Every structure is written in structure tokens, then in C-alpha cells.
Amino acid sequence: VDRGLATIRKNFAATVEKGRLSQADMDKRMALLSSAVDLSAAAKADIIVEAVFEDMGVKETVFAQLDKIARPGAILATNTSTLDVDQIAAATSRPQDVIGAHFFSPANVMRLLEVIRGGKTSNDVIATVMALGKKLGKVAVLARVCDGFIGNRILEKYRVQTMALVDEGASLQQIDAALTKWGLAMGPFAMGDLAGNDVSWLVRQNRAKLGKNYTPNPLADQLCEMGRYGQKTGRGWYRYEPGNRKPIADPEVEQMIEAHRRKIGITPRAISDEEIVDRCLFAMANEGAKIVEEGIALRASDVDVVYVNGYGFPNYRGGPMFNADVAGLPQVVEKMQTWAKGHQGEAWKPSPLLVKLAAEGKKFSPM
């Protein structure tokens, strides 16, 4: 708790230093905070947001405890980024009061809030959390329950393509550079090192157990088995000098990649930056179309809102769905059919919605 409060103070102090907050306002905000080490302190809260370790057993234990402590009518929200909100709700006797409130890291900066309605979540709880998001200055997007919700479910398909491109001959540096030049805030490998490769490793292990939305990633697993978690360990996909966040190519990783290519029988080929960008972004749009079809997202533009506000997607590109519209959906389908004949071609099955809109000469954007 002390460490958490110190982090909050440090974040506020940085904002004051940049001139975005007065010292008086910082002092006022810190005075509004209270802390405790016992869950019973939440007994009178109107809304409780759980943010414990991303493990279903831990979440269920906490919600079973909250069920006994929280006052009637209190909203019990989980900050899970991938786990089943309905299963978490089932640990309580009040599933109608349980909802997902997925804040993005760092939560004091990122504007996106994914609000996840469970199968039994009541409408007044949904309306309250959406309104709370607005009050907090967030952009709230409503989603239904599925593995990864909107943002992380699509991100999985993006990661699959980045790794397939490495298999086929693209370097980590080329992929990161191509995507940042196109407009993304960071490339996938630099981002992995920043976030911590062990975090996605844990998610993959959980997905493998559940068999949901899972594509094996042997290279990334091997990286973590070597203790290369990213910036926090000084080594990840890249290596880092002490006190410097600049990624430096590491021959050890390059040798690992070369050995992996030999193992899977692939001779590296030259890959253009255009192919890198198109494959990564069209994979995202295709999964986004499936999410809209399934009713996980209410509309295609919600997918774009998620990516612009939570994943470093450039505003002027409009999001993965809008980007696919600009490229032309018939052209997107045509390219996917070509890639379906290559490495990991099974990933390129176009969603029925994408095929339908392309055939009718329509776009995602009115949806």
C-alpha cells in the first residue's frame, strides 16, 4: 500500500513539474486518498475496482470475499484484461452487480476504458460505469465477454503476424521500424520489452490451458525461458544499457531466430515494409470484423476507438477498421487470399462480414 501511494504521489509530482497541475491541487487530491490493508475497508464503497494478479483463481477468491463485505447494490468491477467476467461473477451471489472495467496502463494517462458487460450484468450497472468513465476523463467502450475482449483479442492476431514475418525473414528492427514509420507509437518488439515479455508469456500459458484464441509462440516462449523479460531485466528482444531505454540489437536473439528458422525449415526471404504493414493491419481488421459479427463490439467504429485511445494507433489513420476501408475491402480480401497460400496461411480466412461487405462494395465505416 505504501508503495502504491508513493507511485501515485510520484505521478502527480511529475504532472506538477510539467505545469499541468498545481501543487495545491496535488495536495488536495492526495488528501482525498485513504488506504487500508484489509478488504473490510471497502464495505461502504459504491463501486469497487479489483486490480489483483491476472489469475482466475485469485480473482474468484477476491470476489467471493467482496461478496460478503460489499453493501447491497455496490458495483463490483474487475480490471481483468482477458479473463471471463462471467466466471468471476459466478464467484458471487450478485452477478448482476459484476462488470469488467479494464483500465489501460498507465491508468493515469491512457484514455481508454473497456467496459465489459457480463451475461447477467444489469443495465443500471452498465450505465453507471459508462458514466463513471466519462467523469474520469476516459473514453469508455462497451463490449461483451470473450477472451481478450476487443483490444487484446485483436492484438493476439497482430502478434501472430509479427511472429510469422520473423519466421519468413523480416528482422525485429525492420518490423518495428516499418510500423512506427507508418504511424504506430511503438513497434511490437520494443513494446513487448517495455510492457514485459513475461506478462504476455503468462497470458499464453493461460490461453494454452483453456484452448482459447491461442496460437503457439515458441520464439517468444524461448525468450522468456532465457529470462529476457525486457527493459526491466536489461534484455528482451533487444538489449538495454543501464538507465537507457534505447533498444540495441542483440546477436544472441538473432542467433535464436536463425536456429528457429532452420528448425521449422524456412529459408528467409526479403520482405517489403508494405507487406509488413498490410499483414499486421489487415489481420487486425479481419479479427475486428469477427468481433462485430459476434456482437462483442456494438459497431466497427468502437474497434477503432479502442485502438486509437488504448493501443497507440495514430489518430490520423482512424483505426484498423477505417484503415481497411481506405485500402478498399475488395483489395484487402484479395491480399488475404494470396497470403493464405503462404506460411501459416490458415490465419488468413476472411470473416464472413468482410467478404460480404467487399462483395457489395460497402465499408465498415457506416457500422
Side-chain angles (χ1 to χ4, degrees), residues 99-119:
I99 194 167
H102 178 207
F103 290 83
F104 283 67
S105 181
N108 61 309
V109 175
M110 298 300 289
R111 295 186 70 210
L112 180 63
L113 173 64
E114 275 187 321
V115 179
I116 315 302
R117 66 178 303 168

Side-chain angles (χ1 to χ4, degrees), residues 8-9 12-13 16 21-33:
I8 294 169
R9 184 178 294 279
F12 275 142
V16 170
L21 185 71
S22 71
Q23 184 63 50
D25 281 339
M26 172 181 164
D27 294 341
K28 182 180 176 182
R29 293 181 186 191
M30 289 302 300
L32 289 168
L33 291 170

Side-chain angles (χ1 to χ4, degrees), residues 49-280:
V49 183
E50 160 275 314
V52 300
F53 192 62
E54 191 75 345
D55 177 272
M56 180 57 80
V58 176
K59 302 273 190 191
E60 288 175 321
T61 298
V62 169
F63 271 79
Q65 291 173 325
L66 289 175
D67 188 35
K68 297 172 184 175
I69 293 165
R71 67 170 185 78
I75 295 173
L76 307 182
T78 173
N79 184 49
T80 182
S81 58
T82 57
L83 298 177
D84 188 336
V85 174
D86 288 328
Q87 186 174 341
I88 293 170
T92 76
S93 62
R94 48 173 110 181
Q96 73 280 0
D97 294 331
V98 177
I99 194 167
H102 178 207
F103 290 83
F104 283 67
S105 181
N108 61 309
V109 175
M110 298 300 289
R111 295 186 70 210
L112 180 63
L113 173 64
E114 275 187 321
V115 179
I116 315 302
R117 66 178 303 168
K120 295 181 179 178
T121 307
S122 66
N123 288 337
D124 64 310
V125 169
I126 296 166
T128 302
V129 175
M130 293 293 284
L132 176 64
K134 194 170 184 179
K135 192 171 185 179
L136 293 172
K138 303 296 184 186
V139 177
V141 175
L142 187 63
R144 290 188 180 274
V145 174
C146 72
D147 183 50
F149 315 131
I150 296 173
N152 283 340
R153 174 170 160 181
I154 291 173
L155 189 65
E156 172 69 10
K157 302 307 177 186
Y158 170 72
R159 284 177 175 152
V160 166
Q161 282 311 303
T162 62
M163 296 312 303
L165 286 160
V166 171
D167 287 353
E168 293 173 60
S171 70
L172 308 180
Q173 296 90 329
Q174 184 193 3
I175 293 169
D176 278 355
L179 289 162
T180 51
K181 183 180 178 182
W182 182 83
L184 293 184
M186 290 184 77
F189 299 102
M191 175 58 78
D193 281 355
L194 174 64
N197 295 306
D198 53 322
V199 176
S200 51
W201 189 30
L202 177 64
V203 171
R204 283 195 303 278
Q205 289 170 339
N206 287 334
R207 282 177 170 158
K209 290 175 190 173
L210 297 171
K212 292 181 179 179
N213 198 27
Y214 174 69
T215 301
N217 194 338
L219 263 180
D221 290 348
Q222 186 179 348
L223 191 81
C224 290
E225 287 161 5
M226 294 163 67
R228 302 185 66 114
Y229 295 160
Q231 290 188 15
K232 61 188 174 186
T233 57
R235 301 183 313 149
W237 291 109
Y238 302 103
R239 67 178 181 85
Y240 300 87
E241 299 291 352
N244 193 335
R245 291 178 179 269
K246 183 181 178 181
I248 303 167
D250 192 329
E252 185 178 46
V253 173
E254 291 169 1
Q255 290 167 11
M256 179 185 79
I257 291 170
E258 288 169 7
H260 170 72
R261 287 172 182 154
R262 289 193 297 270
K263 185 177 180 180
I264 61 176
I266 287 184
T267 302
R269 65 178 176 88
I271 299 175
S272 69
D273 287 359
E274 180 185 6
E275 180 181 343
I276 289 170
V277 171
D278 284 351
R279 279 174 57 173
C280 289

